[in-house]
Amino acid sequence: MTRTAFLGTGHAVPDRVVTNDDLSRVMDTSDEWITTRTGIRERHWVREGETGAALALRASHAALAAAGTGPDDLDAIVYATSTPDHFAPGNGVYLQHQLGAGSIPAIDIRTQCSGFVYALSVADAWIRTGQYRHVLVAAAEVQSTAMDVSTAGRNTAVIFADGAGAVVLGPTDDAGRGILAFDLHSDGRYAEKLWVDVPGSMYHPRVSPEQLAEGRHFLQMDGKEVFRHAVERMPESVRAVLQRAGFGLDALKLLIPHQANLRISEMVQRNLGLRDDQVYNNIMCYGNTTAATIPIALDECVRAGRLAPGDVLAMTAFGSGFLWGSAAIRW
Ligand code: COA
């Protein structure tokens, strides 16, 4: 039976580091408030002109190099982002072109913080059915340009950030390895608890000067509501995916939770009864990069030697939609 294996991982972040003190200079906040409530110490934001596609390209080159392969060996691209460079087309085609990957299919997945897990499930289905062999999954976000960098936007501006992660996937006949199971969900009742209202095709024009003046182009979040749901749905989903894969929590070598907020990760860990060494967090250095948090963390774990062949890995995400889900993998 064919399964999907990880052949290489990579990540990239802008070189511009924005610290909590930097934000405290332009809005009414403090390093103490941000670290206590979110765990974040610093994040990376793009410079003028630096795009999500450019970040994805750097992450993809790193993943291809780690896999010992090149763009010519790719059969498809799945690109997860909630912040494409333009309204249309999606960013997959920009990555295809900039990689010089030939006229292979390239699709965008727009499921926000759950983007990487959803993208992985599409790529996994393509590989297991034999439709495509080598699939590049890239997840990249530029959230900083949707931030209101003033006191009015402080509940999101201190959290969200920019970055990219990528993985090269391919088939394996080694029954003991690869992606084992997914658990995916949505609940659109909460669509407007974490969203960007405009530009939108329901408006004519898609964004008006009045809407801009009201700040409706900024990311808006009901933080308490997101928190309340995230700490329930993520552990529930990890339990479900491990059960589907045939493992208990004791078999779990590593859980990579979406890096929404360190407090959320800590509550997920406590709910699941996991030890510190079983959960990976890096939000302190990157903030919340939406779809990119999990592949950035995965690449750091791989490069630090935290995963050996046979290890059981789970990843779980929750965010805007609400959309959430998990994957179980035997490394
Ligand atoms: N600095 C200082 N004060 C801030 C602030 C900031 N950056 N952001 C908000 N505040 C203030 C609020 O204005 C409020 O002031 P008030 O009491 O005078 O009205 C006070 O802090 C408490 O705000 P509240 O939103 O109730 O705080 P909270 O305890 O819920 O923490 C979050 C806010 C955003 C940290 C928290 O809700 C959270 O982590 N939610 C989940 C967010 C998340 O993970 N999003 C991504 C999901 S993918």
Side-chain angles (χ1 to χ4, degrees):
M1 179 176 141
T2 300
R3 285 198 194 280
T4 302
F6 287 74
L7 307 180
T9 62
H11 81 271
V13 290
D15 64 6
R16 177 183 165 212
V17 176
V18 177
T19 66
N20 293 347
D21 287 338
D22 291 334
L23 292 177
S24 306
R25 279 190 277 276
V26 290
M27 63 182 75
D28 182 11
T29 189
S30 65
D31 178 49
E32 203 258 333
W33 194 98
I34 301 169
T35 47
T36 308
R37 305 285 182 115
T38 72
I40 301 166
R41 289 197 302 264
E42 60 186 33
R43 74 285 290 141
H44 297 250
W45 281 4
V46 292
R47 293 176 198 280
E48 189 79 36
E50 190 174 19
T51 64
L55 292 173
L57 181 68
R58 283 172 50 205
S60 299
H61 277 309
L64 286 165
T69 185
D72 288 347
D73 288 329
L74 292 175
D75 300 303
I77 295 172
V78 184
Y79 192 119
T81 188
S82 59
T83 54
D85 295 351
H86 304 285
F87 202 96
N91 266 16
V93 294
Y94 287 100
L95 182 59
Q96 171 272 333
H97 175 63
Q98 288 168 19
L99 274 173
S103 63
I104 58 173
I107 62 162
D108 278 39
I109 299 282
R110 289 193 56 181
T111 53
Q112 297 73 245
C113 296
S114 305
F116 182 71
V117 176
Y118 270 78
L120 212 53
S121 77
V122 171
D124 176 52
W126 276 351
I127 291 167
R128 278 189 298 106
T129 57
Q131 186 163 347
Y132 301 114
R133 273 180 70 76
H134 293 130
V135 181
L136 172 69
V137 175
E141 303 278 2
V142 173
Q143 288 289 4
S144 57
T145 52
M147 295 300 120
D148 176 358
V149 188
S150 75
T151 299
R154 65 184 179 175
N155 76 321
T156 52
V158 303
I159 292 179
F160 291 92
D162 309 335
V167 299
V168 179
L169 304 171
T172 174
D173 291 325
D174 178 349
R177 278 185 73 201
I179 299 177
L180 304 175
F182 286 96
D183 176 65
L184 303 175
H185 301 277
S186 73
D187 190 341
R189 283 179 298 171
Y190 303 101
E192 294 169 13
K193 295 294 179 191
L194 181 50
W195 71 317
V196 182
D197 183 8
V198 298
S201 60
M202 66 182 281
Y203 305 116
H204 196 188
R206 289 180 173 181
V207 57
S208 67
E210 294 74 29
Q211 289 171 326
L212 290 175
E214 289 165 12
R216 287 164 64 181
H217 57 301
F218 294 127
L219 181 78
Q220 295 164 60
M221 175 176 79
D222 179 342
K224 279 198 191 312
E225 196 71 353
V226 173
F227 198 105
R228 194 167 68 80
H229 286 265
V231 297
E232 292 294 326
R233 300 287 89 80
M234 287 163 84
E236 200 174 88
S237 181
V238 171
R239 285 196 170 87
V241 84
L242 285 178
Q243 190 178 28
R244 209 162 290 163
F247 291 104
L249 283 162
D250 49 336
L252 192 59
K253 174 67 192 250
L254 200 59
L255 172 67
I256 300 181
H258 165 54
Q259 301 292 291
N261 178 321
L262 190 59
R263 299 288 94 81
I264 292 178
S265 291
E266 286 169 351
M267 286 182 73
V268 170
Q269 175 179 342
R270 216 171 308 138
N271 182 312
L272 293 171
L274 297 174
R275 302 181 307 271
D276 287 350
D277 65 278
Q278 287 176 290
V279 183
Y280 188 76
N281 289 302
N282 62 8
I283 193 169
M284 306 69 103
C285 310
Y286 299 112
N288 178 342
T289 57
T290 322
T293 73
I294 291 177
I296 292 174
L298 176 63
D299 185 45
E300 288 191 339
C301 290
V302 169
R303 287 172 198 271
R306 293 204 44 182
L307 286 165
D311 283 346
V312 178
L313 163 72
M315 43 186 74
T316 186
F318 179 92
S320 167
F322 291 152
L323 289 138
W324 67 99
S326 305
I329 295 135
R330 187 136 201 170
W331 199 252

